[in-house]
Structure formats: C-alpha cells, structure tokens
Amino acid sequence: MKYLYDLHTHSTASDGTMSPKDLVGRAKQADVSVLALTDHDSIEGIAEAKTEALRLGIELVPGVEISVSWGPYVIHVVGLGVDPECELLQRSLSRQRELRKERAREMGRRLDKSGIGDAYDGAMALCNGRLISRTHFARFLVDRGYVDDTAKVFKKYLVPGKPGYVPGSWASLEEVVAWIKAAGGQSVIAHPARYPFTRTKLRTLFDDFKELGGDAIEVVSGNYTRDNCFTMARHAIDFGLMGSVGSDFHGPEHSRLEIGRMLDLPEGVTPIWHDWIKQDLAI
Ligand code: AMP
Ligand code: MN
Ligand code: MN
Ligand code: MN
C-alpha cells in the first residue's frame, strides 16, 4: 500500500473543529501513514495526538504553523519535527498568542464600529480559552446570522480592506526559521500559491527564506489546482528547496476535502521526508 503523508492539519488546539485525538483517528481511517499536527501558533495539541497515534499505530510528526510578518504581508511557516519541549519555541509561541489576543480586541473594536457588537466576547467564547483566530470571529458572525457561511464572512469582513481586518504584527521570517531550527525542526513555507503575490514577489520570498536556512515549500496543498502544484514544484527545484504536502484540513464541516487526500508530489521534487529515518524526526 502507498505510504500516505499529510503534513499540515489543524485541531481544536487552534481553529480546527476536531480534537487532536479525533483528528488522529480520522487520519488513520483515511489510511494516512504519517500525519503532522500543525496548529496555528500552538503545540498544545501534540501530546494528546501523540498518545492516540501510538495507540493506533500511525506516525505523528509534531508540528506548528506560525504566523509571520514579512514586510507588510502576513504569511505562514510550518515547522515539522519540532521538539515540543523546546523552551524558546514555547516562549515564542505564547508571545504570538498574546499578540493574537491584542489583535482580537482590535478586531472587536472595529467590528463594533461597523455595527457588529459583542464579536470579541463571542469569538473568545468559541475558542474555549485556546488560541483565538479569525476563524472564531467568522464562526461567531455565522452563528449570529450576519452572513450565511464562513467563506462569505472572510470576504465581507475579515480580509485586507474590510472592516474587521487587522493584519497583526507577528514575528519576522528570520525569527521563525530560527525558532524552528532551535527546536530541531524543518521549516516550510505554507501554501505559497495562496498568497496574493506576483511571481516576482513570490520568488523574493523564496530567496529570503532560502537565505535564512529554510528547508521546503508546500508544493502540494489541500485546495491547490494541478497547475498550482506544478508551478510550486518548479519553484522548489529552482531554489533548491524540498517539497512538502499537506491538506490544511480544519474539520469535515470546513471543506469537502478529506484528510490525506491530495495530489501527488510531482516528480523531480525532493520530498521533505527523504531523510527522516536518518534524522530520526518521525520514524
Ligand atoms: P488567523 O491566523 O487568525 O489570521 O486566521 C487565519 C485562518 O483563517 C486560516 O488558517 C484559515 O483557517 C482561515 N481563513 C483564512 N482565509 C479564509 C477564507 N477566505 N475562508 C475561510 N477561512 C479562511
Ligand atoms: Mn486555520
Ligand atoms: Mn495557513
Ligand atoms: Mn493551516
């Protein structure tokens, strides 16, 4: 049977809807062999996921998806094979979560001004004391009937230029690559085809990332087209970066996409896992 990798998923430790335990169970059902849990700015779901993965006989890669301010833009960097005990990583992620709370308060104020009251309290209640994200605001707005679905909330309120959008001010690319390295992990540019960048801007990002010691880019991501995959494969090869694959699964109600169901990594790209046995990252 094919060895199936899914190296980008979310649980209730960030903005996913399944607990880490249930997420691992679903991955097992979907025949995933190696699963990375990569919650936004949090490694708090890893211990629970690891226990369940051991029980079910599936390989769990401890991961994280970190928000990065790159100039005026926000991008995401995935760390794979990070040591959850690393103090620098723990400290830095808790700082990111503090920044998320500050951003959430500002989002609440701005939404209030545009006629949507209680959004801060509502979103905070939905995140159950864990990390607060735009997704929680989106769910609150849908629950209150302001908009029909979360995709529309984003479009109307939560993206650049819209009333509830606050970019936030996250760590730099340099810092994030360094934290991941300090935690013994590998860094990956998450879903590069999704950024609203020109080809030149994207290549500047890959250049900066490579220079800083970054390892890979997501050549395959959940909602990529075949074209996206081949374009990102080309970039990976050009920059001497490895390729990663991840569904970016957030829960069954979030997308039609199943955990572990993605296009194959195009030929010619070095998979990020090619030397994992040697590095003792996951297996
Ligand atoms: P945050 O990290 O708090 O800024 O929230 C980013 C998260 O919001 C992403 O990881 C997605 O889960 C979600 N998201 C971003 N854009 C959209 C969109 N257009 N539709 C639905 N969810 C989105
Ligand atoms: Mn998310
Ligand atoms: Mn992301
Ligand atoms: Mn993600």
Side-chain angles (χ1 to χ4, degrees):
M1 207 171 61
K2 204 166 124 183
Y3 216 63
L4 202 61
Y5 289 83
D6 189 338
L7 303 178
H8 187 152
T9 63
H10 295 271
S11 74
T12 45
S14 65
D15 59 350
T17 58
M18 299 184 83
S19 67
K21 178 173 183 281
D22 291 347
L23 183 84
V24 171
R26 193 174 178 102
K28 176 72 183 175
Q29 289 249 303
D31 293 324
V32 170
S33 324
V34 182
L35 174 77
L37 177 63
T38 58
D39 276 306
H40 295 285
D41 299 317
S42 174
I43 44 176
E44 315 233 314
I46 303 285
E48 180 185 315
K50 192 105 208 169
T51 305
E52 184 68 354
L54 274 171
R55 198 175 75 80
L56 296 179
I58 155 170
E59 304 292 345
L60 194 275
V61 179
V64 60
E65 179 177 20
I66 308 180
S67 307
V68 172
S69 287
W70 183 64
Y73 310 102
V74 178
I75 61 152
H76 289 168
V77 170
V78 163
L80 294 177
V82 292
D83 174 7
E85 302 298 321
C86 171
E87 276 180 29
L88 175 66
L89 185 66
Q90 285 177 356
R91 219 175 330 114
S92 309
L93 295 180
S94 59
R95 171 76 188 135
Q96 294 268 106
R97 293 196 294 273
E98 285 305 313
L99 294 171
R100 280 179 170 275
K101 282 187 208 154
E102 286 169 26
R103 179 188 64 157
R105 275 191 283 273
E106 182 59 21
M107 286 174 70
R109 279 191 285 270
R110 293 197 195 181
L111 287 168
D112 203 47
K113 274 196 202 139
S114 55
I116 296 173
D118 300 332
Y120 174 76
D121 288 339
M124 287 307 269
L126 286 176
C127 82
N128 278 324
R130 287 179 288 248
L131 159 148
I132 178 78
S133 77
R134 276 186 291 162
T135 312
H136 298 104
F137 278 86
R139 285 184 197 141
F140 170 77
L141 265 70
V142 172
D143 287 355
R144 282 292 168 96
Y146 287 107
V147 195
D148 310 337
D149 63 62
T150 51
K152 282 192 202 144
V153 185
F154 272 91
K155 230 175 168 168
K156 203 163 164 201
Y157 294 104
L158 303 178
V159 292
K162 300 299 169 175
Y165 182 72
V166 182
S169 147
W170 316 110
S172 68
L173 190 58
E174 183 173 8
E175 289 172 304
V176 169
V177 170
W179 300 343
I180 293 169
K181 217 178 269 295
Q186 292 173 296
S187 50
V188 184
I189 300 277
H191 42 66
R194 287 223 307 259
Y195 304 125
F197 292 172
T198 59
R199 182 184 147 84
T200 310
K201 173 93 30 206
L202 197 57
R203 290 179 74 88
T204 307
L205 171 63
F206 295 150
D207 242 342
D208 283 5
F209 182 62
K210 178 79 187 175
E211 186 91 350
L212 294 169
D215 297 287
I217 68 176
E218 278 180 353
V219 168
V220 178
S221 173
N223 52 9
Y224 272 17
T225 61
R226 193 166 283 278
D227 236 33
N228 288 153
C229 291
F230 283 101
T231 308
M232 293 308 128
R234 193 65 253 163
H235 288 310
I237 293 165
D238 284 357
F239 285 89
L241 291 161
M242 294 182 283
S244 186
V245 305
S247 61
D248 207 358
F249 184 78
H250 281 71
E253 53 286 271
H254 259 259
S255 65
R256 278 158 287 131
L257 207 113
E258 185 50 271
I259 199 163
R261 294 287 170 276
M262 292 148 286
L263 296 164
D264 287 336
L265 194 62
E267 267 181 43
V269 178
T270 306
I272 187 161
W273 56 83
H274 83 283
D275 61 352
W276 276 5
I277 294 171
K278 257 190 292 171
Q279 291 191 11
D280 197 26
L281 264 175
I283 41 187

